[in-house]
Amino acid sequence: MRDPQFALAGPLGMTMMLLISVLSLSAVEDPSQPSNVDRILVEKSKGTLTLYNGGKVVKTYLVALGGEPMGPKEKEGDHKTPEGSFTIDSKNARSRFHLALHVSYPDEADRKRARKLGVSPGSAIMIHGLPKEFAYLGALHRKTDWTDGCIAVTDEEIEEVWRLVKIGTPVEIRP
């Protein structure tokens, strides 16, 4: 005869314990957290993107940057992430990446510098998730800087950023 205190040790009990564990790990929106952010700070040297609301940190994410992350973006195709002050000027739910927020690069100074060099400054700088074919990598994508100059987070993270960030939000990208 089984001891009643071990009744949950069978297959049904294991399933129930697993279900309870999964539910307890589910993301529950904290009502004390702001529903949006008023500033984004990317610190290239730290490999981070931080969301702020009212001067307080909402959340910080580890990111992958352009394949040549040191120094400011100078021209299209240099694989550098730009530096400076920009805004989120559009959102693309049909990007080849899992969601994308467009950064308003280049600004007038970037265009002027590129004209002097006789090159295009580039323009498709985004904060985005992973390409669909590499979504399985999740956080492993951050092991190397791999973008063409964009700022990449995991698919789960970009869903959160997408929800919190409105068009017009300022973005500061520091060295």
Side-chain angles (χ1 to χ4, degrees):
M1 184 163 148
R2 279 188 164 176
D3 188 337
Q5 72 185 28
F6 296 108
L8 286 179
L12 179 59
M14 295 299 280
T15 302
M16 291 298 291
M17 288 191 311
L18 181 61
L19 182 59
I20 290 167
S21 296
V22 168
L23 289 175
S24 69
L25 294 175
S26 298
V28 175
E29 198 163 310
D30 181 350
S32 68
Q33 289 294 321
S35 62
N36 61 24
V37 300
D38 57 18
R39 179 173 168 246
I40 300 170
L41 174 62
V42 176
E43 294 176 279
K44 291 169 44 173
S45 62
K46 294 180 180 177
T48 59
L49 178 150
T50 303
L51 304 178
Y52 289 88
N53 186 308
K56 294 182 181 173
V57 172
V58 174
K59 190 151 185 188
T60 298
Y61 305 90
L62 295 175
V63 299
L65 300 168
E68 297 291 332
M70 302 310 292
K73 186 163 192 64
E74 295 175 346
K75 63 181 182 175
E76 184 173 25
D78 65 6
H79 302 283
K80 292 181 181 249
T81 301
E83 296 172 1
S85 296
F86 310 99
T87 60
I88 297 298
D89 61 5
S90 66
K91 291 181 169 185
N92 183 354
R94 296 190 177 171
S95 165
R96 70 182 189 99
F97 300 96
H98 184 67
L99 303 176
L101 288 77
H102 187 263
V103 176
S104 65
Y105 173 87
D107 62 16
E108 188 52 44
D110 295 314
R111 284 190 284 277
K112 189 175 181 178
R113 183 177 57 247
R115 269 194 304 275
K116 278 187 177 180
L117 295 171
V119 297
S120 168
S123 63
I125 301 300
M126 313 272 181
I127 298 170
H128 60 67
L130 301 177
K132 291 164 186 45
E133 65 272 21
F134 294 109
Y136 69 91
L137 288 173
L140 290 175
H141 84 95
R142 296 187 292 244
K143 293 291 183 186
T144 188
D145 288 317
W146 58 269
T147 76
D148 287 336
C150 295
I151 300 143
V153 294
T154 67
D155 288 355
E156 294 79 14
E157 291 166 340
I158 194 62
E159 288 174 10
E160 185 171 43
V161 171
W162 179 276
R163 190 179 80 250
L164 295 172
V165 173
K166 291 181 171 46
I167 292 172
T169 301
V171 179
E172 181 183 356
I173 305 174
R174 293 181 185 166

